[in-house]
Amino acid sequence: MKKILIMAAALYSSTMQLLAAPGDTISLDEKWLFRLVRNETSIPRNFESTRFNDTQWTFQTVPGVWRVPTSWLRNDYVGTYRGWIKMPPAYAGRRIFLHLGLTTASTSVYVNGVKIGQTALDRAQTEFEITSNVNIGQRNLFVFQMPHYDEGEDASNTYGKSGITSHCFIYALNNGQQQDLGPEIGKAKAGVKVASRHSFQLAEGYFDTPKVMQKDIEQMKALGFGAITYNKLSSDPEFIAYAKEQGMEVVSDPPLTSAPLIDEQGNYTMEVYNLLPDTKYNFRKEIEEGEGRADAAVHKAKPKKKESNAVLTIWDTPYSITFDKYSGLISSYSQNGVTVFSGGGTVMPNNKTTLVNLTSTKPNRNNGTKVTAVYDVAGAGQVTWVYEISNNGVLRISTKGQQDILVTLSSRLSATEYLAQDFSQDVSLLEIPEYRPRVYWMKQRDNVGNGVEVIGERPFTAVQTSKSGQLLIQHGGKDFNLRFLPVAR
């Protein structure tokens, strides 16, 4: 093991004041003798003894994680570290401490054959006073042993990454000096969102490097967090220093959520979107402006209704909408010369649908036309959808029940734009992730800029399907109103 000057070590000199004089810190970041066994019953006897023969052991770097055979991943395998460290004469008459870094499971610690304690659960950084356990001026045996997972954890954990994943060292204090127990932890300022670092680091055995720390802080800031709850993961002095450099405080307040916000691939989880503030988006203004555009295209409304055994059509000069009377679904819809639905495009419950009943009112110059469809939807029973066709051609669909709505627009409307709520502001997107909550509207345009705006009465979840121009709308309410408004270049 190597001895380093603490004041010269950039990692600790500015972030962890240990009150030790230069030369008084021994780094344990080295290659240790190491033995990995498949299960607890295979642990060598007397592994902690100073007389144990470890000449056939391999090496493992600290900090670092173990490489584990694939066939062992469901076993509670056990890893054991052994290393000899000489206590310098300068440590005589002083208090001596062992600082063990982040560990992926609770770790047993032995010094010169005697068990002195065990680390806290799950990645804790733990310190032990070892003054009475070591011999000054002599070599001393240190042994660390940890299993794959802690008692009570899920035995099906297959991460396969275990180890000591941050810096370890030994230091000495003069009598009367106090251990540095970390920075003073205050309370978060009013209105500041507090994160837990556990929400950003999920996988067992990750290697907590400066790059990982910086990425976590950047993700927290991107989600609008301004402070971090002090816990095992955030207590690393290097991480605290990075956080403060980025304008984030480490506080004692509980986090806004302890749920995972990042999945194992580093993508946001759905929990992220539940943290967004209530929207201030003005749906009413957006709808009124769309209705106004439609009104401007109609000089004198004279809606008409045409019905046969196969179809029901309502139309006027700027629009036409046709229902298939066998399915009860819209088979075609055009608005100001722009085709909204055609060639298989329509709007429908997102499940197998059978028409039960279809009725319609006579077109009215004041109230437009109302078409009421009762569907038998697989898994949901009978549901009622009301199609209200204004005299300006705007289509409003009112749904009852919590069915998802599948919208498939004409392939001619190839240019897409979404407006959605982001973590700090509303954002315009040309495409949406696989699952995107808090969408306000979707606009589909043709190659000259004319098209349709699909807008709800409140934010909805948008899911892009594999089919071009198709959107799955999940609203989660007992009812939902959806409008199709004209868009002109």
Side-chain angles (χ1 to χ4, degrees):
M1 299 298 165
K2 59 184 178 182
K3 185 176 180 181
I4 61 171
L5 301 181
I6 186 172
M7 299 307 289
L11 174 62
Y12 299 112
S13 63
S14 61
T15 61
M16 185 175 241
Q17 302 285 328
L18 293 174
L19 305 178
D24 287 348
T25 297
I26 302 171
S27 171
L28 306 184
D29 294 355
E30 276 282 1
K31 287 186 177 180
W32 287 63
L33 288 167
F34 184 75
R35 176 74 182 274
L36 179 66
V37 295
R38 187 164 191 157
N39 51 50
E40 191 176 30
T41 59
S42 302
I43 298 173
R45 294 181 60 185
N46 302 320
F47 65 87
E48 77 283 5
S49 171
T50 57
R51 297 179 179 273
F52 180 81
N53 183 358
D54 55 21
T55 56
Q56 301 303 310
W57 284 27
T58 58
F59 292 94
Q60 173 62 46
T61 300
V62 173
V65 294
W66 322 330
R67 294 183 177 180
V68 181
T70 303
S71 60
W72 289 21
L73 291 182
R74 292 188 179 274
N75 292 76
D76 192 10
Y77 46 79
V78 180
T80 306
Y81 301 77
R82 283 173 57 93
W84 294 84
I85 299 104
K86 185 176 181 179
M87 294 297 110
Y91 276 18
R94 306 174 71 187
R95 298 178 67 195
I96 305 170
F97 296 88
L98 166 67
H99 176 101
L100 196 61
L102 300 174
T103 60
T104 57
S106 187
T107 302
S108 299
V109 179
Y110 302 82
V111 177
N112 290 327
V114 177
K115 184 175 181 178
I116 63 170
Q118 198 156 345
T119 66
L121 299 178
D122 189 19
R123 306 174 181 152
Q125 298 185 85
T126 312
E127 293 200 346
F128 305 87
E129 181 166 4
I130 57 174
T131 308
S132 61
N133 302 95
V134 296
N135 301 310
I136 304 301
Q138 300 180 29
R139 294 168 68 245
N140 296 264
L141 175 66
F142 287 76
V143 179
F144 311 136
Q145 185 176 86
M146 75 175 70
H148 178 194
Y149 49 81
D150 286 310
E151 184 177 353
E153 287 188 342
D154 184 2
S156 65
N157 172 356
T158 58
Y159 292 120
K161 293 181 181 179
S162 302
I164 301 172
T165 60
S166 67
H167 306 284
C168 303
F169 49 91
I170 295 170
Y171 66 96
L173 298 179
N174 294 326
N175 289 325
Q177 286 182 316
Q178 297 295 316
Q179 279 180 283
D180 178 32
L181 301 179
E184 284 190 28
I185 306 301
K187 303 287 286 184
K189 297 176 182 178
V192 173
K193 289 169 59 177
V194 180
S196 169
R197 196 170 178 222
H198 284 286
S199 296
F200 292 82
Q201 285 297 338
L202 310 177
E204 300 279 342
Y206 78 98
F207 197 2
D208 203 17
T209 65
K211 184 177 180 180
V212 171
M213 296 177 185
Q214 186 68 34
K215 181 180 178 182
D216 287 353
I217 293 168
E218 290 172 355
Q219 287 181 320
M220 290 176 188
K221 293 182 69 176
L223 294 179
F225 290 103
I228 306 163
T229 294
Y230 187 80
N231 56 31
K232 297 170 188 175
L233 272 171
S234 64
S235 64
D236 187 288
E238 189 171 11
F239 180 79
I240 291 174
Y242 275 118
K244 289 186 173 180
E245 285 176 8
Q246 299 296 318
M248 300 190 73
E249 292 298 315
V250 182
V251 298
S252 61
D253 304 61
L256 193 59
T257 180
S258 57
L261 301 179
I262 304 293
D263 63 22
E264 292 174 16
Q265 288 72 46
N267 301 317
Y268 291 132
T269 66
M270 292 309 101
E271 180 66 22
V272 166
Y273 298 96
N274 295 330
L275 303 179
L276 297 179
D278 291 336
T279 179
K280 296 180 180 178
Y281 182 73
N282 193 333
F283 289 91
R284 175 51 50 193
K285 180 180 178 183
E286 183 76 20
I287 291 171
E288 288 176 351
E289 289 180 353
E291 294 273 3
R293 291 193 298 268
D295 286 338
V298 180
H299 301 293
K300 185 177 290 188
K302 294 181 180 179
K304 304 173 185 67
K305 173 181 172 181
K306 182 179 179 180
E307 191 168 0
S308 69
N309 291 333
V311 298
L312 166 66
T313 302
I314 295 94
W315 82 96
D316 201 343
T317 302
Y319 67 88
S320 173
I321 181 166
T322 298
F323 290 83
D324 183 322
K325 294 185 70 174
Y326 294 106
S327 66
L329 302 176
I330 297 173
S331 58
S332 67
Y333 175 31
S334 62
Q335 203 177 62
N336 293 330
V338 176
T339 300
V340 179
F341 297 132
S342 69
T346 191
V347 56
M348 61 184 291
N350 184 39
N351 224 324
K352 186 177 180 180
T353 302
T354 302
L355 179 65
V356 176
N357 189 37
L358 184 71
T359 60
S360 61
T361 65
K362 184 178 179 180
N364 183 287
R365 292 187 177 184
N366 297 319
N367 301 322
T369 309
K370 182 183 294 185
V371 178
T372 302
V374 179
Y375 304 113
D376 190 357
V377 179
Q382 288 191 2
V383 300
T384 300
W385 279 28
V386 177
Y387 301 84
E388 295 180 66
I389 306 162
S390 300
N391 289 330
N392 55 22
V394 170
L395 172 64
R396 175 175 178 259
I397 302 176
S398 301
T399 70
K400 302 294 182 182
Q402 296 186 354
Q403 306 87 31
D404 298 340
I405 302 171
L406 189 64
V407 178
T408 307
L409 299 173
S410 169
S411 59
R412 295 183 182 181
L413 303 178
S414 56
T416 307
E417 182 183 4
Y418 300 90
L419 183 67
Q421 187 177 4
D422 208 0
F423 311 115
S424 58
Q425 61 185 357
D426 298 339
V427 294
S428 183
L429 306 168
L430 297 180
E431 59 182 39
I432 60 174
E434 183 179 352
Y435 185 105
R436 180 62 190 248
R438 300 289 181 91
V439 172
Y440 299 148
W441 49 250
M442 174 183 71
K443 290 182 180 178
Q444 289 278 127
R445 305 173 191 248
D446 59 21
N447 56 7
V448 296
N450 298 321
V452 66
E453 176 180 13
V454 183
I455 182 170
E457 61 181 5
R458 59 180 181 267
F460 53 85
T461 294
V463 180
Q464 275 180 330
T465 72
S466 59
K467 187 173 181 179
S468 177
Q470 191 174 76
L471 180 74
L472 182 63
I473 293 176
Q474 300 171 331
H475 54 86
K478 293 182 178 180
D479 50 53
F480 192 66
N481 291 331
L482 197 65
R483 280 179 173 82
F484 293 81
L485 303 165
V487 175
R489 59 176 177 174

